[in-house]
Amino acid sequence: MGRRFGVFVENEDDLMRPDVNVVVGSAYLIRLIGKYGNLREALVAYNLGHTAVDKLLEKNAPLPTSYYEGVVRRYRDLVKHCSF
């Protein structure tokens, strides 16, 4: 993922650097949004892994949404405290 965006990731420690983590994490999330076509399923897959989400969707099983709900709640709180 990092290579596509000009970020060199040599080892797992590199992912702890904010400049690397944000680029790689954002790229991965964008890829998942493209795959699933919506933010909810993409964020669930970001948290659980896309294979697990694919299996749940194949079975028409409900997705666990607590991670998604927490991200959206934090985002809304952040937006409330920002002035644009």
Side-chain angles (χ1 to χ4, degrees):
M1 241 340 143
R3 212 173 311 131
R4 286 182 164 172
F5 294 90
V7 177
F8 182 70
V9 179
E10 187 174 331
N11 56 51
E12 288 182 22
D13 291 337
D14 287 342
L15 294 174
M16 298 306 291
R17 293 182 15 227
D19 59 319
V20 173
N21 187 286
V22 169
V23 171
V24 173
S26 298
Y28 182 53
L29 181 57
I30 289 167
R31 188 175 185 188
L32 292 170
I33 291 169
K35 176 179 179 161
Y36 294 105
N38 66 75
L39 184 60
R40 184 175 74 84
E41 289 176 8
L43 278 172
V44 173
Y46 187 92
N47 185 49
L48 284 181
H50 66 91
T51 303
V53 170
D54 290 347
K55 288 178 182 177
L56 289 171
L57 291 173
E58 284 174 16
K59 296 177 186 177
N60 288 323
L63 296 176
T65 59
S66 60
Y67 178 79
Y68 164 77
E69 292 163 2
V71 169
V72 170
R73 185 174 42 256
R74 285 185 204 98
Y75 175 77
R76 288 183 179 142
D77 288 345
L78 178 65
V79 169
K80 268 196 260 183
H81 294 90
C82 292
S83 57
F84 294 102

